[in-house]
Amino acid sequence: MNSRWALVGEVLFGCLILAFGIVALTGSVQLGFASLSQPRAGLFPFFAGLMIVIASPIAIVNSIISGGNESEFVLKKDAFRTLAGMIAVFAGWIVAMPTLGYVVVTFAAVLALAKLLGLEGWLKPLALSVATSLATYVLFDRLLYLDLPRGLLG
């Protein structure tokens, strides 16, 4: 691919991401975010949108400075399989969440991602999965009092 067209593509994509960040920011302000002790629906999208709005211009400037040379890569077969597997895991996480509940599905998804990304053995992926599920449960359900999907298994 021509370096000039790669640069144009990177800058346009960066602008698109910036626009999505602005939409997330404005939408979150309309939802309202109350306070950290009693968060509302707009709190997380506000901070996510803020990070996107901050990071996008930096990525655009970095693309312009590098001249689009860093973007020319070929997605190898193994990398494509890993990417497809990650998409499948995330899609399965979303689909299974209402039925099985947040904690169980998050445990399974983190375990699948850990093995997919090559974390050796079974002890480390299992420990990571348990820690992630437990930490997010304690954070969101117990500390922030946000209702997580319970599912069939509670």
Side-chain angles (χ1 to χ4, degrees):
M1 178 183 266
N2 188 343
S3 177
R4 183 173 150 256
W5 288 110
L7 175 62
V8 169
E10 285 182 20
V11 170
L12 288 177
F13 185 72
C15 291
L16 179 68
I17 297 299
L18 178 62
F20 282 135
I22 292 170
V23 168
L25 267 178
T26 57
S28 68
V29 170
Q30 291 172 353
L31 286 172
F33 39 88
S35 68
L36 290 176
S37 62
Q38 293 181 332
R40 290 185 50 197
L43 184 67
F44 179 76
F46 175 78
F47 286 111
L50 183 64
M51 291 297 111
I52 292 170
V53 167
I54 292 170
S56 298
I58 295 169
I60 292 169
V61 169
N62 187 32
S63 295
I64 292 170
I65 290 171
S66 71
N69 292 331
E70 295 178 11
S71 69
E72 296 185 31
F73 70 96
V74 176
L75 193 59
K76 295 184 172 72
K77 192 181 251 187
D78 290 340
F80 181 75
R81 284 187 193 141
T82 302
L83 178 62
M86 291 176 69
I87 291 170
V89 168
F90 285 124
W93 186 74
I94 291 168
V95 169
M97 181 80 62
T99 306
L100 297 177
Y102 180 83
V103 175
V104 173
V105 175
T106 299
F107 172 82
V110 171
L111 181 63
L113 288 172
K115 292 309 287 179
L116 185 67
L117 294 174
L119 193 57
E120 70 256 1
W122 282 98
L123 186 60
K124 289 179 183 178
L126 284 170
L128 178 66
S129 300
V130 168
T132 302
S133 299
L134 185 62
T136 55
Y137 174 76
V138 168
L139 174 67
F140 292 114
D141 197 62
R142 296 295 175 206
L143 296 177
L144 295 175
Y145 301 109
L146 298 174
D147 289 328
L148 297 173
R150 300 272 180 218
L152 297 175
L153 304 174

